[in-house]
Amino acid sequence: GNGTGNPPTIIVNANGGIANNSISEVPITVYPNPATSYVNLRYAASSTDNVTINVYNSTGVLVKTQRELITFSGFQTTRVNVNSLLPGTYIVQVVNANGSKRIGSATFLKQ
């Protein structure tokens, strides 16, 4: 170029193109898997708030609920006692405080 033109302007959407009212679901790491007495859940929280952890059995029945206070944004690790659950496959979901948005979900095996 001859230096007379203006450089191109690049506009980047501050929220990465994701609508403000949506939370993209993130993977949850569950360990140990298979579990015996507890599982640790590792997930990313986008803000400081409460989350609810719901555990469902293989037929979709809610068998355990646990609320957690998130005190910082970023990766969280939460321990859930599963000692009372029968052996089998379970689905765990982490949802926001009012239950309207799922942050993530995973499955684990209880021995």
Side-chain angles (χ1 to χ4, degrees), residues 10-52:
I10 299 171
I11 299 171
V12 177
N13 189 341
N15 65 8
I18 298 170
N20 289 331
N21 63 351
S22 71
I23 297 174
S24 55
E25 189 170 329
V26 296
I28 297 178
T29 303
V30 181
Y31 61 94
N33 190 5
T36 52
S37 59
Y38 68 90
V39 291
N40 291 308
L41 308 177
R42 182 168 156 78
Y43 55 94
S46 60
S47 63
T48 58
D49 199 354
N50 289 304
V51 297
T52 301

Side-chain angles (χ1 to χ4, degrees), residues 35-36 55-58 63 81-90 108-111:
T36 52
V55 179
Y56 299 89
N57 68 14
S58 60
V63 294
N81 184 330
V82 297
N83 201 35
S84 64
L85 300 180
L86 297 173
T89 301
Y90 292 87
F108 69 92
L109 182 65
K110 167 67 167 62
Q111 289 185 327

Side-chain angles (χ1 to χ4, degrees), residues 6-7 9 41 54 73 80 94 101 107 111:
N6 291 328
T9 302
L41 308 177
N54 293 321
S73 61
V80 178
V94 179
K101 295 181 185 359
T107 60
Q111 289 185 327

